[in-house]
Amino acid sequence: MVGRRQINGRAVNPVGLGCMSLSWAYGTPPSEDYAVQLLNRALDLGYDHLDTANIYGLGHNETLLGKALKGRRQEFFLATKMGIVVDGPRRGVDCKPETIKACVEQSLERLQTDHIDLYYMHRRDFSVPIEESMGAMADLVKAGKIGAVGLSEMSADTLRRAHAVHPVAAVQTEYSLWTRNPEIAVLDACRDLGVTFVAFSPVGRGVLANGVRDMAALPDKDLRHTMPRFNADNWPKNLALVDAFNAIAAREGVTPAQLSLAWVHSRGDHVVTIPGTASIPHLEENIARWDWDLPAHVADELDSLINQHTVAGPRYGPVIQQTIDTEEFA
């Protein structure tokens, strides 16, 4: 049976909650009243690791969490991020030491707390040596503003360089059956260094939760419209994989989302997931089988069905890909 797992010495449920879709990315976000209800329901269900970022809704998501959960702050492990900058049409990454220290103050205010358990650099700033950025993060730990340092979408080499300056508690990267990049190096590097691996989009942007069928049915502003795997050439091929995946889930007596999460958890005891949702029923579904052990023969079957060779298209277009430090398959 899958048990609770560790982030920076704190035990958490292996299924955490990614909060982005309550503010941004997948069409129109839910009303504030519904979002507040969802966040409180999450804590009631046993979610104790919540993940947000300053960029989600340009501060809206952190503000939402601060308002909704201020009276329950001790019930969950709080993670947020800094580093991605959106200025009108311009998008970039800024992890200069002075920026890191200014951003944490803004996040603390929005979250209505005096302490962030895990603070990530959201992306690698290639204009600043990682050692300099880590020095600023270490200062925040010493000052008691953050409990631990995290890296997001960074390579094994960057992780090792950063960890040499100050311990890194977690690395967050997209990981699911259909995004296998962490298997190149980061997953093993985390295991070697005692770093928790936090998998975002563990149900493949909803694909492996049977949440995407007809692309035309998605809202116009849905982020998936910009992703190559969902275009007219690639999506029909990927949908065929989804149909086979859903059949395996039905055979095993679990939902597709539960099967997808169990597969990610099976990759190592140092792995946790943060599926996101703006739906209370989906929230309940994702955690309902959190302790289910995926049989080894089923894991092997899934590995053969959906992997970097069978999925059509890259996960990001060329503009976003330039901000990603994680290793890529040839």
Side-chain angles (χ1 to χ4, degrees):
M1 181 179 292
V2 175
R4 291 170 65 78
R5 296 182 175 183
Q6 300 282 323
I7 307 179
N8 195 39
R10 179 161 169 177
V12 297
N13 192 298
V15 181
L17 178 62
C19 298
M20 179 179 73
S21 56
L22 296 176
S23 299
W24 176 75
Y26 297 119
T28 303
S31 69
E32 181 176 292
D33 286 347
Y34 188 86
V36 169
Q37 182 183 355
L38 183 148
L39 289 167
N40 280 278
R41 179 63 176 152
L43 298 191
D44 294 342
L45 288 167
Y47 285 89
D48 54 9
H49 168 205
L50 273 56
D51 183 275
T52 180
N54 65 346
I55 195 64
Y56 298 162
L58 299 178
H60 175 271
N61 203 245
E62 289 183 330
T63 301
L64 173 66
L65 264 68
K67 179 178 181 179
L69 301 176
K70 182 179 180 181
R72 306 184 70 176
R73 177 65 186 87
Q74 300 307 312
E75 297 181 39
F76 63 96
F77 184 89
L78 173 62
T80 191
K81 315 176 198 70
M82 62 72 57
I84 297 178
V85 177
V86 174
D87 180 12
R90 187 182 73 85
R91 179 185 172 107
V93 178
D94 182 356
C95 289
K96 294 188 289 291
E98 58 270 27
T99 303
I100 290 172
K101 293 180 178 181
C103 284
V104 76
E105 299 296 340
Q106 296 164 6
S107 288
L108 288 166
E109 181 177 358
R110 286 190 291 261
L111 289 161
Q112 298 190 48
T113 186
D114 60 1
H115 181 79
I116 293 164
D117 297 305
L118 176 61
Y119 197 50
Y120 291 94
M121 284 182 273
H122 207 158
R123 292 292 186 270
R124 172 80 185 274
D125 184 343
F126 294 100
S127 71
V128 180
I130 191 64
E131 291 81 1
E132 291 185 17
S133 299
M134 282 299 294
M137 297 290 261
D139 288 345
L140 296 181
V141 175
K142 292 175 185 175
K145 296 180 184 296
I146 68 174
V149 178
L151 308 177
S152 179
E153 287 285 11
M154 299 195 197
S155 67
D157 177 67
T158 300
L159 167 60
R160 293 182 189 281
R161 287 173 54 190
H163 198 73
V165 175
H166 185 277
V168 175
V171 171
Q172 180 175 145
T173 295
E174 182 176 357
Y175 189 39
S176 69
L177 275 162
W178 89 331
T179 297
R180 300 294 198 90
N181 304 68
E183 295 175 2
I184 300 172
V186 170
L187 204 59
D188 287 342
C190 285
R191 181 185 291 107
D192 293 345
L193 295 172
V195 174
T196 303
F197 182 90
V198 180
F200 78 80
S201 294
V203 295
R205 308 281 180 182
V207 170
L208 301 179
N210 202 30
V212 186
R213 301 293 301 180
D214 179 8
M215 287 300 299
L218 295 181
D220 290 342
K221 293 184 178 181
D222 193 296
L223 187 67
R224 288 167 288 197
H225 285 298
T226 69
M227 295 178 168
R229 290 179 180 173
F230 296 94
N231 68 27
D233 291 331
N234 294 324
W235 180 237
K237 302 171 189 174
N238 292 328
L239 186 57
L241 298 176
V242 171
D243 290 337
F245 176 81
N246 290 349
I248 295 172
R251 186 193 72 204
E252 296 300 316
V254 294
T255 69
Q258 291 164 355
L259 181 62
S260 184
L261 293 170
W263 180 87
V264 179
H265 296 151
S266 76
R267 301 298 92 181
D269 291 340
H270 64 307
V271 178
V272 301
T273 57
I274 48 168
T277 185
S279 159
I280 290 175
H282 290 164
L283 180 85
E284 295 168 344
E285 173 191 348
N286 288 342
I287 203 170
R289 299 295 300 272
W290 73 269
D291 57 353
W292 179 53
D293 271 321
L294 182 69
H297 72 278
V298 179
D300 291 342
E301 183 180 9
L302 296 173
D303 277 332
S304 297
L305 174 66
I306 303 178
N307 56 60
Q308 68 271 22
H309 303 295
T310 63
V311 172
R315 60 184 178 129
Y316 291 126
V319 174
I320 299 300
Q321 187 58 49
Q322 291 176 5
T323 71
I324 304 300
D325 186 40
T326 307
E327 293 85 355
E328 295 293 318
F329 290 104

